[in-house]
Amino acid sequence: MSGKERSPRHRPWSVYRANTFDLSAEMMGLALSGNSQDPDEPVLEFSVACSELVTPSLDRKPTSFVAISCTTPPQAFWTKHAQTEIIEGTSNPIFLCSVAFFQDSLITQQTQVKLSVYDVKDRTQGTMYMLGSAMFPVKELLQDKHHRLHLTLRSAENNRVGNITVIAWQIEENREQRAPVARLQRGDTVNGRMVLPVDESLTESMGIKSKSSSLCKDPLLKAVFGGVMSRMYRLPTTDGNHLRILEQMAESALSLHIPRQFVKLLLEEDAVRVCELEELGELSACWENLRRQIITQYQTIILTYQETISDLHEYKGPSFKSSTLKTERKLEFIPTNLHIQRMRVQGESGYDRTYDVVTIGAPAAHHQGFKGCGLRKLLHRLEEARKHTYEEESSAGSGSKGMAYQPQDVVKAKELIGQINTLKTQVCYYTERLSRAAKERSANALDRTLAILSEKTRQLVNVCDSKLLSSAILALASARPDSTLQTPSPSSSSLSPSSRSPSRSPCRHPTSPSRAATSPSRYAEGSKNKRSSLQADFHEEDWEKVCLNVNKSLECVIQRVDRLLQRDKLQSDSSSEDVFLLASEVSGNTKKDISPEVEKTSPGEWSDALYPLLTTLTDCASLMSDKAKKAMVFLLMQDNAPTIAMSLTLQYRRDVVFCQTLTALICGFIIKLRNSLCDSGFLRQLHTIGLLVQYEGLLSTYGEELAMLEDMSVGVMDLRNVTFKVTQATSGFAPDMLPVITGNRNGFNVRVPMSGAMFDTLPREIQNGMLLRVQPVLFNVGINEQQTLAEKFGDTSLQEVINKESTTRLSSYYDQFKEVLPEDCLPRSRSTTSLPELLKQLSQNANAKKSKNVEILWQAAETCRRLNGVRFTSCKSAKDRTAMSLTLEQCQILQQEHALAPQVFYQALDCMRSEGCRRENTMKNVGCRKYAFNSLQLKAFPKQYRPPEGTYGKVET
């Protein structure tokens, strides 16, 4: 290459970072009319084609590409800007890569552009020489009548070696127009500089809809994504027109933002568990030792989370984790190489479609290693260990049950804790609201709030009316140091709920209260100081008293409110004398149920009349909730004890995997929602049956990648515990536009803030805070040489199971759709294959025994797109195989949906693989613009997944 050409830090062909700066006055002189309306519009775009290329060796035709360099006075050197793809064996190449100057290019009319044509002798070795070059100023291209230049290529010896044509591009206004550019119209000048007219289809709908496709300027997407790279192509169609393709790739600030929040939630959750164990109160020596062991295990894992949070906040690197860092312990919660890949397709008829795919390195515990197994096998081993412990405990002693509970008991206990926490909070909240309504003397508010309080209190009592809970309360009571009950030990105890049954359900007999139950105030007052532990002589009858006191307290509140409302009504309808007479009669009927102090209460002092009763209700509900929760915590302690070390180690691995999967999901949800604000069909589908998310895996089922697939499959399925809620952002600042996670391992909720203008476009259901569900599926097909070994000597059963299960779930999702939604909610498709037929073909392929059946991936991806789903693609590092899959998918979409001319399919595919964004992704990850394949490996790849010569080699993965 020319000695005058140089690039800072020896960078490869310049990466475009679109729209980083505002248009300068000079750039405005180049701008297409109306271009400021479309943030992704380049300042200048042109294509090149060569003709009559001559090589020194007349017996061979050149294999050529064009390198584009530019310089703007007073700059004295050339800067590399772009290059085209390589076209083999022709003297008349027409290049599909167009050359785009975006707003950050800072070119002017005085900018000189140099076109250097190279002849590649050996693509594998990268040997080449410059055939010839030509130069032109930007002003000359703009001033030409048809914005087309025909230049002569001359060698270093000034010999003519061929011609090169430069054509400036724009979208045509009418379908009938075939010329690549429109004629410059009179008066089209800005500051005295000539400009090109632009198609009206790019300037209409300047509201939310048009802005939704910009990764660079949209407030929401700009807050979430950054480092945007762009490439442009012009591809011919079957009808003689051209497609304008904008390919973009961006990293995400969520790569760090989400793990920081997520690990903090895990830390808080485990700290709460330690507190719950500590609050169980005194236990006998054997149980106390067991509790100490479990707390020690939790404290160890808490310390690990604390270190992780510190490491994540100290990290100052880029907002994505490169594939070379996937085994780094400090960064193990961060997804590997997370990017959004976008293809925007514009046709000459005016349509504009966008396709997004989230790419992520296989969500797996890379730092912890695999040692032959991943999460699926580890979870199975844990279940087997618990089952074995249960069987041992069941057979120990004289037929007594062991301390290991059945799996359904453990699940029920966790549900009860969550329900009790929620209902207790709600009871306290509505008690406070009732007190406020009484203070304000609002009869309507008092009546409405009492109805809700009554419902929530009864729900709480019903939740505590559980055979499992009664059994656990007795077990905890028997574990006290001075218990008069038979004291079990951790090794042999009769704690299983199946071995005990309460004499009767305490909450089903509120008409037979105990003596303590008839005086809830006295009982609650005497129990305030006893919540730290249950009494040693606690029996079932005592638990009945606790539940009955809640019921009785609620009845007292209801009666008091009824009397207050009746007095208020009588006071407004009658004279004062009649009011007090009637009030006296009413109060006489219930005198035995209320204290004398309240009898003297003035009818106007509602707050004073209700305060002691509401305090009693709160105390009784809190006492019942605390005792119930402690019993469930004790039950879980018993269940966890035999396998606590294994359980926490496995849970940590699952947390790591889930965090990576969750981060990718949130990226996909945000960009899908943002782009679909004007798609009423999608929004209706979203709040009705949830969002379909489809992960595509390219992992082999051999060696470590088999264990990665186990991790990934569990992580994807755990997304079923995630819900989304869209909220209105408090401001337009980037930090206020970032998502917020709440919840725990039983369920996480992601709040997605949107600006007021965006929020107002959403359906009422979503605006009102409806939780939006997620329906995840995973399809995997190994394509490399290791998969060949797996199919011949190993085991592919895991892949088969995953694909069959996901096919069933995908069909189920479509069935749900058909039941409640019309077909017009789905995007239009030019495909001749209906969705039912497509699902049928997918099912047949998933059940077929076929080597590297990549049709599964193609059909699953198409089904996902046609069902308004979000696409994710993954291999070990999301760099090499992912690049092959993404570029193939892009070309398949162009052919199926946009009539790409079939004769250029593979040329377009090679063009995207050699000069597209995914080539730059390899540079970002390993510092080399080569895919990590070798010739021997690629022989095992399906032919559609093989990159062009010269783009791969032995590099770090």
Side-chain angles (χ1 to χ4, degrees), residues 899-912:
L900 174 69
Q903 64 269 23
V904 299
F905 180 89
Y906 283 103
Q907 183 185 350
L909 185 59
D910 286 349
C911 177
M912 291 179 179

Side-chain angles (χ1 to χ4, degrees), residues 16-150:
Y16 316 148
R17 292 183 179 267
N19 305 315
T20 303
F21 307 104
D22 293 331
L23 285 173
S24 67
E26 285 291 334
M27 293 171 67
M28 283 297 294
L30 300 173
L32 299 174
S33 296
N35 133 286
S36 60
Q37 307 287 352
D38 188 345
D40 291 326
E41 184 84 17
V43 173
L44 176 67
E45 181 193 3
F46 62 82
S47 290
V48 294
C50 297
S51 61
E52 301 177 6
L53 295 180
V54 179
T55 63
S57 177
L58 299 178
D59 60 339
R60 66 176 288 272
K61 292 183 178 180
T63 295
S64 59
F65 71 91
V66 181
I68 296 90
S69 305
C70 60
T71 182
T72 302
Q75 181 177 303
F77 55 87
W78 294 94
T79 301
K80 295 174 184 176
H81 180 72
Q83 78 173 49
T84 68
E85 74 277 18
I86 298 173
I87 297 181
E88 296 184 347
T90 177
S91 297
N92 305 294
I94 301 174
F95 299 98
L96 300 182
C97 277
S98 62
V99 180
F101 290 86
F102 291 93
Q103 294 176 13
D104 65 342
S105 301
L106 299 178
I107 63 170
T108 69
Q109 291 197 29
Q110 284 68 47
T111 298
Q112 292 280 334
V113 178
K114 181 178 181 180
L115 308 173
S116 303
V117 181
Y118 288 84
D119 181 18
V120 181
K121 288 188 173 182
D122 187 334
R123 295 188 68 171
T124 304
Q125 298 297 323
T127 56
M128 65 187 75
Y129 69 97
M130 190 174 76
L131 197 61
S133 64
M135 292 187 292
F136 68 91
V138 171
K139 183 177 181 179
E140 183 179 340
L141 178 63
L142 295 177
Q143 289 181 339
D144 183 82
K145 184 177 181 180
H146 299 291
H147 314 299
R148 184 187 301 236
L149 299 177
H150 299 280

Side-chain angles (χ1 to χ4, degrees), residues 429 431-442:
Y429 170 74
T431 300
E432 177 62 29
R433 282 191 56 177
L434 191 68
S435 177
R436 194 181 312 135
K439 187 174 183 180
E440 296 170 355
R441 287 188 58 87
S442 172

Side-chain angles (χ1 to χ4, degrees), residues 724-786:
F724 286 87
K725 181 179 180 180
V726 185
T727 61
Q728 188 167 342
T730 55
S731 77
F733 294 111
D736 294 329
M737 303 294 285
L738 293 174
V740 177
I741 312 175
T742 57
N744 53 45
R745 293 182 181 95
N746 294 324
F748 289 96
N749 177 256
V750 183
R751 295 201 306 271
V752 178
M754 303 193 88
S755 66
M758 298 180 193
F759 188 77
D760 290 342
T761 65
L762 296 171
R764 187 62 57 190
E765 292 87 349
I766 297 179
Q767 289 187 22
N768 290 339
M770 176 179 284
L771 297 183
L772 309 173
R773 296 170 294 156
V774 174
Q775 303 283 0
V777 293
L778 166 65
F779 290 90
N780 186 86
V781 176
I783 62 172
N784 65 1
E785 76 287 354
Q786 289 187 320

Side-chain angles (χ1 to χ4, degrees), residues 367-396:
H367 167 71
Q368 299 175 41
F370 302 99
K371 298 179 182 178
C373 68
L375 272 174
R376 284 178 81 111
K377 284 185 181 176
L378 292 173
L379 286 169
H380 179 70
R381 290 178 185 175
L382 179 62
E383 290 176 6
E384 289 296 314
R386 285 179 170 171
K387 182 179 178 182
H388 179 67
T389 301
Y390 178 79
E391 291 173 350
E392 281 188 344
E393 294 293 339
S394 297
S395 60

Side-chain angles (χ1 to χ4, degrees), residues 636-698:
L636 294 177
M637 185 185 86
Q638 298 172 68
D639 177 73
N640 289 332
T643 57
I644 185 64
M646 180 190 297
S647 179
L648 289 182
T649 300
L650 189 151
Q651 184 62 67
Y652 183 82
R653 184 186 190 98
R654 195 169 188 171
D655 292 339
V656 168
V657 174
F658 179 71
C659 183
Q660 298 173 22
T661 317
L662 175 65
T663 305
L665 170 68
I666 297 172
C667 287
F669 178 89
I670 289 175
I671 200 164
K672 179 66 176 179
L673 180 63
R674 181 62 188 89
N675 291 340
S676 304
L677 287 179
C678 294
D679 185 348
S680 58
F682 166 76
L683 295 174
R684 182 180 173 188
Q685 178 183 345
L686 177 63
H687 70 72
T688 304
I689 62 173
L691 179 69
L692 174 66
V693 295
Q694 185 246 324
Y695 281 75
E696 172 185 308
L698 298 158

Side-chain angles (χ1 to χ4, degrees), residues 9 99 286 297 390-391 414-415 455 476 492 524 542 586 611 711 718 728 731 797 801 848 881 913 954:
R9 301 180 185 175
V99 180
C286 55
Q297 293 284 345
Y390 178 79
E391 291 173 350
K414 292 179 179 178
E415 290 177 354
E455 180 186 357
L476 178 58
S492 61
D542 298 293
V586 171
Y611 178 77
D711 279 3
D718 281 348
Q728 188 167 342
S731 77
S797 59
V801 168
R881 281 168 283 177
R913 288 173 176 174
K954 186 177 181 181

